[in-house]
Amino acid sequence: MKKVIVTGANAGIGFETARQLGEKGMQVILLGRREEALREAASKIKNVVGYYVVDLSLMESVRKVAVQIVSEHEQIDVLVNNAGGVFSRYEETVEGIEKQWASNFLGPYLLTGLLLPSLQRSGFARIVNVSSDSHYAGKVEINNPGLKGEYSTMKAYAQSKLCNVLFTYAVHKRLSDKGIRVYALHPGLVKTDIGKKAGGWLESLGWQLWSMGGIRVEDGAATSVYLASSSEVESKSGTYWDKCKEKKSSGLSYDIELQEKVMQIAAQTTGFYFDKL
């Protein structure tokens, strides 16, 4: 029985992804920020074999949970980096990192790296990174990735989602000879509460209006579930997906120099270097 980790698994797309994978017979591990919410989610999902509290915006929290998981689960077959956030104003974590940059990119980057020992023991290993078509509007401010002094909600969000795709392609090159497949995807405009948690009433209202025409959460999880479980994508590592079909990501996402710069920034910030595996 394959074992899958889903981050942000207590609500929205993450919950539905975990639920569907559990229905498919996978053993499911849930990650989220609140223990009570995780406990409730676990009671509604089949084949849950554990849940862990983690704040992906805090690198120390990511390190601690990764140590726990690796010590308790020798083999992990699939990691779904689903969790993400939208923040209406510039805010630094206690570690001095802008919160959206930390939550949406650095946290998943570090978690992926630290879980590689367990992933490498699987003959099926997959890393599924939930990005967004918002990445098409994204640029990477190499010298100021936290956007200090020039922050805007959508600029920060688009940058973080572009970095998810850049990371996918860069890691694919590093892990392809180790039998680990890596994918990025757009879940679609889904009716979830992610934008309502942005922190500002105007952003919350805007999200509610914008997402009124969104698809069901069940449909938003479909591509994540497909990439995590289907045998049809075995030879498709290092690709971007939407509606369970491969498609081209932004032109910037294929910039190898930019991919490497982003990997370097992430390594220097988190202390984890994929190139030293």
Side-chain angles (χ1 to χ4, degrees):
M1 189 178 287
K2 295 180 177 63
K3 191 176 290 185
V4 57
I5 292 175
V6 181
T7 67
N10 55 278
I13 299 172
F15 172 84
E16 187 59 29
T17 299
R19 189 192 68 76
Q20 290 186 31
L21 291 173
E23 291 283 348
K24 286 180 174 289
M26 283 192 175
Q27 294 182 327
V28 184
I29 299 171
L30 314 178
L31 268 63
R33 289 190 298 115
R34 296 186 296 116
E35 184 170 4
E36 184 179 347
L38 285 169
R39 189 184 303 116
E40 182 179 352
S43 70
K44 300 175 181 177
I45 297 172
K46 286 185 178 180
N47 297 318
V48 173
V49 294
Y51 60 82
Y52 299 85
V53 176
V54 62
D55 185 340
L56 287 171
S57 72
L58 299 175
M59 301 308 109
E60 186 57 29
S61 178
V62 175
R63 291 186 190 95
K64 286 180 179 178
V65 80
V67 169
Q68 282 183 279
I69 292 171
V70 170
S71 67
E72 296 172 15
H73 302 275
E74 183 177 358
Q75 179 176 313
I76 299 295
D77 299 288
V78 183
L79 168 62
V80 181
N81 285 314
N82 164 81
V86 180
F87 303 94
S88 64
R89 59 184 62 86
Y90 182 88
E91 181 182 348
E92 291 186 1
T93 68
V94 294
E95 295 172 335
I97 306 171
E98 189 276 313
K99 202 166 184 178
Q100 189 150 231
W101 170 245
S103 299
N104 291 4
F105 174 57
L106 293 179
Y109 167 96
L110 182 59
L111 181 66
T112 300
L114 295 176
L115 292 182
L116 282 177
S118 292
L119 284 163
Q120 286 179 308
R121 295 187 182 99
S122 169
F124 181 85
R126 297 181 179 187
I127 299 164
V128 179
N129 297 318
V130 178
S131 179
S132 166
D133 274 1
S134 295
H135 88 272
Y136 288 103
K139 296 181 180 179
V140 183
E141 299 294 337
I142 294 296
N143 298 317
N144 183 25
L147 303 177
K148 191 169 187 176
E150 53 183 292
Y151 186 88
S152 77
T153 303
M154 291 316 297
K155 183 177 181 179
Y157 185 75
Q159 175 183 249
S160 69
K161 290 304 171 181
L162 173 58
C163 286
N164 293 151
V165 184
L166 291 162
F167 169 65
T168 297
Y169 296 162
V171 170
H172 161 68
K173 290 183 292 187
R174 289 162 169 80
L175 300 181
S176 59
D177 64 344
K178 302 181 187 299
I180 299 178
R181 298 154 188 84
V182 194
Y183 313 93
L185 68 101
H186 171 57
L189 176 59
V190 185
K191 293 177 181 178
T192 72
D193 289 339
I194 184 173
K196 297 179 186 178
K197 301 172 184 176
W201 71 268
L202 188 59
E203 288 85 355
S204 178
L205 176 61
W207 177 266
Q208 286 179 271
L209 294 173
W210 184 49
S211 63
M212 283 176 67
I215 61 177
R216 301 180 310 151
V217 175
E218 293 85 348
D219 298 324
T223 304
S224 292
V225 171
Y226 178 68
L227 292 173
S229 61
S230 176
S231 61
E232 297 174 354
V233 301
E234 285 284 316
S235 63
K236 299 288 188 176
S237 181
T239 48
Y240 184 72
W241 293 73
D242 181 14
K243 298 182 180 68
C244 298
K245 294 182 179 180
E246 181 184 349
K247 75 174 185 179
K248 282 193 174 294
S249 52
S250 73
L252 268 181
S253 69
Y254 296 106
D255 185 326
I256 295 175
E257 184 178 354
L258 184 58
Q259 292 171 14
E260 295 307 313
K261 284 181 179 177
V262 166
M263 291 292 284
Q264 184 179 24
I265 292 170
Q268 291 171 344
T269 307
T270 65
F272 184 88
Y273 291 77
F274 276 80
D275 293 327
K276 294 183 180 180
L277 291 174

